[in-house]
Amino acid sequence: MAGIFDTHCHLMSEEYNVDETSETIEEARISGVVLLNNVGYDIESSEAAVRQALQYDSVYATVGIHPTDVARHSSADIQRLNELSNASKVIAIGEIGLDYYHKNVSPELQKEWFRKQIKIAKEHDLPVVIHCRDAYEDCFKILLEEKVTKGVMHCYGGDIVMAQKFLDLGFYISFAGNITFKNAENLREVARLIPLNKLLVETDAPYLTPDPYRGEKNYPRFITYTVKKLAELKKIPVEEMIRVTSRNGKKVFGIQE
């Protein structure tokens, strides 16, 4: 199962012990994961993502401030994010977007920060990694208005009509371990309909652990269950799914190997 690109994980998460990183990456490698996109969700985690990317050959970094976290950040943090975007091995701005499921930050403040971070992505010619929950119409509207054409809908959970709108913008659609859940038939139906050349696979580790480990802490090595499920849905060999999704990931993130 060699050659997998986990396009979204959080190696710096507080869910992991600090001394767990090397082991986590090695276990992922043994399972076939050759590339990992280490995604920040605030300034501290973004800085850690960059440090880990510089430390490990197989790790790249994405930097950004999650929509539910923007209220505690300031204009100085935007400047810091801009600086981090220049760092070696930073391949995207994220995860950024809108989250109307959690009610701790007003939609208006989320939109303001979404646009600010899109501006950074455009200045650095980087794709965006989008977190969107219960906010797909507003999210699409902003991406359209800001003329964003390079990005990923991370852990997609919307319907196929909305997915087509993001595909039309030029976006890739990424699926995580929740596609293996018993109650996720609607999500699986969407995955069946996404073109292979726009499909990505991720863990969102330490979250969204796939069956049969649902409820436990997630690790990049568990991505194999998601890859197998997607291959089954698309009726192609697992090796082909790995090849296609890795190629797609390298293309959207501009990784030359």
Side-chain angles (χ1 to χ4, degrees):
M1 252 198 173
I4 303 170
F5 186 176
D6 182 353
T7 60
H8 195 113
C9 62
H10 306 286
L11 297 173
M12 84 302 287
S13 169
E14 293 173 359
E15 297 284 325
Y16 299 125
N17 297 322
V18 176
D19 56 359
E20 210 175 352
T21 310
S22 295
E23 184 182 351
T24 297
I25 293 169
E26 177 59 18
E27 287 175 345
R29 187 193 65 77
I30 292 167
S31 295
V33 181
V34 296
L35 292 172
L36 303 101
N37 183 21
N38 197 18
V39 181
Y41 40 84
D42 58 17
I43 289 298
E44 295 82 6
S45 60
S46 294
E47 289 174 336
V50 172
R51 285 195 301 272
Q52 289 174 325
L54 296 175
Q55 187 176 354
Y56 299 99
D57 289 345
S58 61
V59 178
Y60 288 83
T62 287
V63 296
I65 301 168
H66 192 283
T68 61
D69 231 325
V70 296
R72 68 178 185 87
H73 288 76
S74 67
S75 56
D77 294 314
I78 284 289
Q79 181 55 41
R80 179 62 181 137
L81 195 61
N82 198 40
E83 292 167 3
L84 287 171
S85 303
N86 288 315
S88 172
K89 296 182 80 178
V90 168
I91 55 174
I93 301 300
E95 59 186 278
I96 64 174
L98 301 174
D99 188 320
Y100 296 170
Y101 175 80
H102 297 97
K103 308 295 185 186
N104 62 320
V105 181
S106 74
E108 290 313 308
L109 187 61
Q110 289 186 43
K111 289 175 186 176
E112 179 187 331
W113 276 81
F114 191 15
R115 291 184 192 271
K116 284 179 181 177
Q117 294 183 89
I118 286 172
K119 185 180 178 187
I120 292 174
K122 293 177 85 170
E123 284 174 1
H124 292 271
D125 194 25
L126 290 170
V128 290
V129 173
I130 303 298
H131 171 100
C132 184
R133 191 164 183 189
D134 293 356
Y136 284 103
E137 289 289 354
D138 282 0
C139 190
F140 172 73
K141 184 167 179 270
I142 288 172
L143 291 170
L144 189 65
E145 288 172 355
E146 298 291 340
K147 298 181 172 62
V148 182
T149 58
K150 293 196 304 185
V152 176
M153 296 308 296
H154 140 68
C155 189
Y156 187 70
D159 61 24
I160 191 60
V161 174
M162 208 67 236
Q164 189 59 55
K165 290 185 178 184
F166 293 114
L167 289 169
D168 290 344
L169 285 179
F171 272 59
Y172 289 73
I173 309 292
S174 185
F175 292 97
N178 54 338
I179 204 168
T180 69
F181 296 173
K182 290 178 178 62
N183 62 349
E185 191 49 49
N186 288 345
L187 188 59
R188 284 190 283 275
E189 188 53 42
V190 173
R192 286 187 186 97
L193 298 171
I194 301 297
L196 268 176
N197 67 343
K198 287 293 183 176
L199 197 60
L200 297 176
V201 65
E202 62 169 279
T203 55
D204 200 22
Y207 315 109
L208 292 177
T209 314
D211 280 341
Y213 296 99
R214 187 177 182 182
E216 299 179 25
K217 184 162 59 176
N218 199 6
Y219 289 91
R221 68 178 184 270
F222 291 149
I223 200 169
T224 53
Y225 295 96
T226 306
V227 170
K228 286 175 183 173
K229 180 57 70 176
L230 280 172
E232 175 190 312
L233 294 173
K234 299 299 267 183
K235 296 182 169 60
I236 63 172
V238 169
E239 293 73 17
E240 176 69 2
M241 180 57 69
I242 292 170
R243 189 185 68 78
V244 168
T245 52
S246 289
R247 183 186 64 203
N248 293 345
K250 289 175 186 176
K251 185 174 181 182
V252 68
F253 293 122
I255 295 173
Q256 307 293 328
E257 286 201 330

